[in-house]
Amino acid sequence: PAIREAVWRIDPQQALGTPIELQELVDRTIRSQRRLSWLLNGFAGAALVLAAFGVYGIVSYRVAQQAKDTAIRVALGAQRWRIESSTVGGTLHYVGIGLMIGVPLALGAGEAVRSFLFAVAPNDPMTLLTAAATVLTVAAIACYFPARRSSRVDAISALRAE
């Protein structure tokens, strides 16, 4: 009411709409971008979970296929941590190759989503490093459990099963 009275004192013919706060106007303006951002974040989270399950499944399958080889290594005196580290290292090798392919693709795709990024450049090195570190961490966690299981194999029972 005080704003209306001040405006009408200057120009009584001036039409005024309903005043709103600036923050409400900003919220209305970027509402669709914010919804799309939440949707993309949800898809990214789902992709990360699916990738983790995929890595876990592939490493578990590979560990099961190599049970005889692992049993021979254990029977010959291989240390458990070496078996675990070779499984995790081999998996992270492939994840690293995937990141070497994916980061340049992400840089190219960044220009397509530039309008949805707020206060972040599409080629921001810290964002790319954080995303790559997150993928590496999730992959390492996903392959650790099958690798641990492979190092705990009972050599005699695994060799007898073959």
Side-chain angles (χ1 to χ4, degrees):
I3 294 173
R4 284 189 179 154
E5 288 179 26
V7 170
W8 285 340
R9 260 188 266 132
I10 296 169
D11 184 6
Q13 303 298 319
Q14 183 69 38
L16 291 177
T18 306
I20 60 171
E21 293 181 2
L22 180 61
Q23 185 61 44
E24 184 180 340
L25 180 64
V26 170
D27 289 342
R28 285 183 192 174
T29 305
I30 63 170
R31 184 176 296 148
S32 63
Q33 286 92 351
R34 190 171 285 162
R35 284 184 188 152
L36 185 59
S37 175
W38 279 101
L39 182 67
L40 291 176
N41 284 335
F43 283 140
L48 191 63
V49 169
L50 286 173
F53 280 119
V55 168
Y56 177 83
I58 289 170
V59 174
S60 292
Y61 179 75
R62 192 176 86 195
V63 162
Q65 295 295 72
Q66 295 176 346
K68 183 178 178 183
D69 299 338
T70 304
I72 292 171
R73 289 176 63 193
V74 169
L76 292 174
Q79 296 174 337
R80 293 185 190 273
W81 67 270
R82 287 195 186 260
I83 294 170
E84 288 177 12
S85 66
S86 72
T87 304
V88 172
T91 303
L92 293 183
H93 172 77
Y94 290 114
V95 172
I97 291 171
L99 285 174
M100 287 177 13
I101 295 169
V103 168
L105 290 175
L107 286 170
E111 293 302 320
V113 294
R114 180 182 283 279
S115 65
F116 301 112
L117 301 175
F118 299 105
V120 176
N123 57 356
D124 181 36
M126 194 54 138
T127 302
L128 289 173
L129 281 173
T130 302
T134 301
V135 169
L136 274 174
T137 303
V138 167
I141 291 168
C143 71
Y144 170 74
F145 296 106
R148 187 169 176 214
R149 191 171 55 244
S150 76
S151 70
R152 306 262 189 268
V153 68
D154 181 27
I156 294 176
S157 61
L159 290 172
R160 281 188 186 152
E162 292 290 324

